[in-house]
Amino acid sequence: MELVKPEIGLIFWTSLSFLILLFILGKFAWKPILGALTERELFIEDSLNKAEAAKEEMESLVKKNDDLLKQARAERDLILQEAKKIKDQMIADAKLTAAKEGARMIEQAKLEINNQKAIAMADIKNQVSTLSLDIAEKVLRKQFEDHKKQEELVGELLKEVTLN
Amino acid sequence: MNNKLILNSKLLSKIIIYAVFLLSYALPHQVFAKDKEEAGDEKKFNVKEIIFEHISDSHSWHIFGKLSIPLPIILYTDRGIEVFSSDKIINSEEGKEAIYKGSHYSYKINGNKIVALDASGKEDLRASGKLLDFSITKNVASMWLAILILLLIFFKVASSYSKNKGKAPKGLQSLIEPLIVFVRDDVAIPNIGIKYARYMPLLLTVFFFILINNLLGLVPIFPGGYNLTGNIAVTLTLSVIALIVVNFSVNKYYWKHIFAPDIPLWLYIIMVPVEMIGIISRPFALMIRLFANITAGHIIVLSLVSLIFIFNTLWISPISVLFVVFMDVIELLVAFLQAYIFTMLMSLFIGMAVEEHHH
């Protein structure tokens, strides 16, 4: 039964050696090793997180770009539509204005024509009267030697004529 | 593929040639040995004695044959301390008793035990009873060797951590790192929880101390082949360390669980003693488990080798060697397994002690 009887010497040396080993390894091995391990793991985790964040950012950027593109397209469509509308409006407006102007001009022309006609008529009347006077003078001169009596007659006659 | 086969067959034929050569050399020897035995010169082969000699501690460090290193003997007697070399009392020749006359008593070795003799040359029972043996035995010396190896390994590894900081492990570092990470991630953290960092140095030291001694114990030649982790004194020491650490890191929940558990009052009569026994029985189980596993492994391997000598024929050796190789492979597994189990259970007990309860 010597096998299961612990010897005091071995217990003593084992305790002493183990505690010294624990102390030395704890101070000079485990501390730096575990520290380095943790540091490296943190670094790796951090890098992974960063990569993940970068990926997410990339994705969001692409999405943003897409959105921007879509928005720009929509805006362009809107602008084009607006422009078309404005163009149509302008054409319609122009047409309307032109028609109005035309009508106004025609009206004015008519007025002018009427005026001119009136002026021409008055002129014609004058000329006709002068001409008729001349003609009558010449006729009457031939017929009437006596100037005085003739002119009196003509004057009376002219008074009777009413112009239309 | 073809090349490999040729190489293998070449190797095989070589092995066969050597085996035959060895056998032819050995067989006449056997006959000679038999003659000797018949003549009564040879002591009868005693398996039990051989095996126990191998698995127990010794005052000299056997190298091979009759060559061994004497080790210092340190005795604490009631009259003072005695220090002398073990070759003074270990007789190299059979049948002759060596007695060392120290300054306080005379000493001789009785089996593995040193006893004090009185002036008349008879054993002084009173002095022997008070004699404390603090000798540097084979186990102590090999333990120091193992510690030296551990220190060399881990100083090297620690320096490579500072050398290639933040880089992938290299060389010895990459061999050791998985073990360290294993102890941390699969032993300490699951069992202890967030307070694991405090216990990491202890757990790692225990793990590698047991592991290296288990492995060196498997090496059959000097300086390996000792049985340190299969020695009850060593496992007792480790268990006591576990016991102390566990009971110094307890919180109030642990004591509440033992002395005032949430059970009906009449059950206290049973439960409190059971729990108090549990404080001791857990490290006790640690002690027995490691001791029994490693000692059993050594006994099996030695028994298988002894088969050759029991049958007294070399013809049994192929079977014996085959089984020894098989056992050695299993022992290799056991070396890791026992180091793992000891560390795991230790962290489990620590985990039970530091656990926060949320009722």
Side-chain angles (χ1 to χ4, degrees):
Chain A
M1 276 291 105
E2 210 168 275
L3 204 60
V4 290
K5 221 175 89 192
E7 292 141 43
I8 181 79
L10 195 51
I11 291 175
F12 170 74
W13 289 118
T14 309
S15 323
L16 187 71
S17 312
F18 184 83
L19 291 177
I20 291 170
L21 179 73
L22 178 62
F23 174 75
I24 295 175
L25 283 184
K27 203 167 167 69
F28 299 109
W30 305 135
K31 211 170 149 192
I33 289 173
L34 289 171
L37 268 178
T38 317
E39 202 176 299
R40 196 170 66 205
E41 272 157 15
L42 284 179
F43 174 71
I44 290 170
E45 206 183 303
D46 192 45
S47 303
L48 281 177
N49 282 345
K50 270 185 192 157
E52 189 68 24
K55 206 177 125 195
E56 262 166 36
E57 204 175 325
M58 194 72 193
E59 264 167 22
S60 80
L61 225 71
V62 166
K63 203 168 151 346
K64 220 189 248 174
N65 277 354
D66 274 359
D67 281 356
L68 228 68
L69 210 67
K70 222 180 266 176
Q71 209 179 327
R73 249 183 222 139
E75 224 159 279
R76 187 200 62 185
D77 285 354
L78 205 72
I79 288 167
L80 277 177
Q81 224 168 351
E82 199 100 327
K84 198 161 175 274
K85 223 196 255 171
I86 289 169
K87 183 194 80 178
D88 288 352
Q89 183 74 37
M90 269 167 83
I91 288 170
D93 279 3
K95 267 184 186 162
L96 201 68
T97 319
K100 264 187 192 165
E101 189 71 13
R104 196 182 60 82
M105 275 165 79
I106 289 166
E107 199 67 26
Q108 209 165 356
K110 268 183 188 165
L111 213 69
E112 188 74 15
I113 289 165
N114 282 348
N115 281 349
Q116 291 297 325
K117 209 169 111 186
I119 291 167
M121 279 303 234
D123 205 26
I124 289 169
K125 264 182 196 168
N126 277 344
Q127 282 201 16
V128 167
S129 67
T130 318
L131 214 57
S132 354
L133 270 177
D134 280 352
I135 294 165
E137 195 191 295
K138 274 173 187 161
V139 171
L140 287 176
R141 200 170 280 166
K142 276 278 184 204
Q143 281 179 350
F144 302 103
E145 288 302 328
D146 186 3
H147 259 274
K148 257 199 183 162
K149 275 190 180 174
Q150 284 168 359
E151 269 181 12
E152 270 170 22
L153 184 69
V154 168
E156 265 169 48
L157 281 173
L158 271 173
K159 264 177 202 167
E160 278 166 19
V161 175
T162 47
L163 266 166
N164 283 330
Chain B
M1 190 66 204
N2 234 358
N3 274 350
K4 231 180 194 175
L5 249 159
I6 290 163
L7 201 78
N8 274 349
S9 65
K10 252 187 183 170
L11 197 73
L12 199 71
S13 57
K14 245 185 196 169
I15 288 169
I16 291 168
I17 289 165
Y18 278 132
V20 169
F21 175 75
L22 272 173
L23 282 174
S24 61
Y25 169 75
L27 284 176
H29 243 250
Q30 289 302 95
V31 175
F32 179 65
K34 236 176 190 170
D35 285 347
K36 249 182 148 185
E37 202 178 311
E38 275 164 7
D41 281 351
E42 186 103 325
K43 235 173 70 181
K44 206 170 182 310
F45 181 73
N46 188 340
V47 191
K48 198 184 153 204
E49 197 179 285
I50 294 284
I51 290 176
F52 272 72
E53 189 196 311
H54 272 90
I55 60 172
S56 48
D57 208 353
S58 155
H59 279 97
S60 70
W61 205 348
H62 183 248
I63 300 175
F64 65 86
K66 285 201 189 305
L67 194 65
S68 54
I69 300 173
L71 295 163
I73 286 177
I74 303 161
L75 298 175
Y76 181 82
T77 68
D78 51 351
R79 288 188 197 157
I81 291 168
E82 290 264 24
V83 180
F84 55 92
S85 167
S86 74
D87 61 352
K88 297 253 170 51
I89 54 165
I90 289 174
N91 42 340
S92 49
E93 282 157 63
E94 295 285 336
K96 202 183 138 210
E97 280 199 331
I99 294 171
Y100 171 74
K101 204 170 149 33
S103 48
H104 305 307
Y105 294 99
S106 290
Y107 307 95
K108 73 164 194 173
I109 197 154
N110 189 1
N112 214 9
K113 206 167 161 57
I114 292 164
V115 290
L117 305 173
D118 56 17
S120 64
K122 285 215 180 106
E123 189 183 336
D124 187 339
L125 287 173
R126 192 192 55 81
S128 295
K130 284 192 175 168
L131 194 87
L132 293 179
D133 188 354
F134 285 104
S135 305
I136 310 301
T137 57
K138 185 179 89 176
N139 274 345
V140 177
S142 13
M143 176 174 67
W144 286 350
L145 182 80
I147 285 175
L148 192 72
I149 293 170
L150 278 182
L151 289 178
L152 284 176
I153 290 174
F154 286 107
F155 279 175
K156 175 103 179 44
V157 171
S159 79
S160 43
Y161 268 103
S162 57
K163 232 183 274 166
N164 29 332
K165 210 175 163 77
K167 284 187 195 138
K170 252 198 244 166
L172 190 62
Q173 192 190 2
S174 48
L175 175 75
I176 297 297
E177 188 178 303
L179 290 174
I180 295 175
V181 172
F182 169 74
V183 171
R184 191 191 59 182
D185 291 352
D186 293 316
V187 176
I189 294 176
N191 289 314
I192 301 177
I194 45 164
K195 290 176 184 164
Y196 79 96
R198 256 182 80 193
Y199 302 99
M200 276 311 288
L202 177 70
L203 293 175
L204 283 170
T205 312
V206 165
F207 179 81
F208 284 106
F209 180 78
I210 294 173
L211 181 63
I212 190 119
N213 280 308
N214 284 350
L215 290 176
L216 282 177
L218 290 180
V219 179
I221 50 161
F222 177 84
Y226 58 91
N227 184 27
L228 185 77
T229 39
N231 190 300
I232 196 90
V234 175
T235 59
L236 173 78
T237 310
L238 292 174
S239 309
V240 167
I241 288 170
L243 175 76
I244 292 169
V245 169
V246 166
N247 284 289
F248 267 94
S249 49
V250 292
N251 55 23
K252 60 182 174 183
Y253 299 108
Y254 181 77
W255 294 122
K256 187 187 174 293
H257 182 69
I258 289 172
F259 293 112
D262 296 327
I263 49 167
L265 219 62
W266 60 272
L267 269 176
Y268 275 34
I269 309 162
I270 308 163
M271 284 312 287
V272 171
V274 165
E275 288 288 349
M276 282 170 78
I277 291 166
I279 296 173
I280 299 298
S281 73
R282 283 181 206 135
F284 189 78
L286 276 184
M287 171 180 87
I288 296 297
R289 184 178 294 108
L290 183 60
F291 158 73
N293 271 288
I294 304 303
T295 301
H298 279 249
I299 290 174
I300 292 169
V301 170
L302 288 165
S303 307
L304 287 169
V305 174
S306 297
L307 276 183
I308 303 167
F309 301 97
I310 293 166
F311 286 104
N312 209 7
T313 165
L314 205 59
W315 294 109
I316 201 85
S317 62
I319 299 164
S320 194
V321 167
L322 202 72
F323 275 104
V324 167
V325 169
F326 174 69
M327 273 315 295
D328 270 337
V329 174
I330 288 183
E331 283 304 302
L332 199 62
L333 174 71
V334 168
F336 278 92
L337 199 65
Q338 288 306 320
Y340 163 61
I341 288 176
F342 197 99
T343 321
M344 204 266 287
L345 288 176
M346 198 160 149
S347 50
L348 187 72
F349 299 152
I350 293 171
M352 285 160 97
V354 298
E355 190 183 13
E356 298 280 347
H357 281 262
H358 305 284
H359 286 301

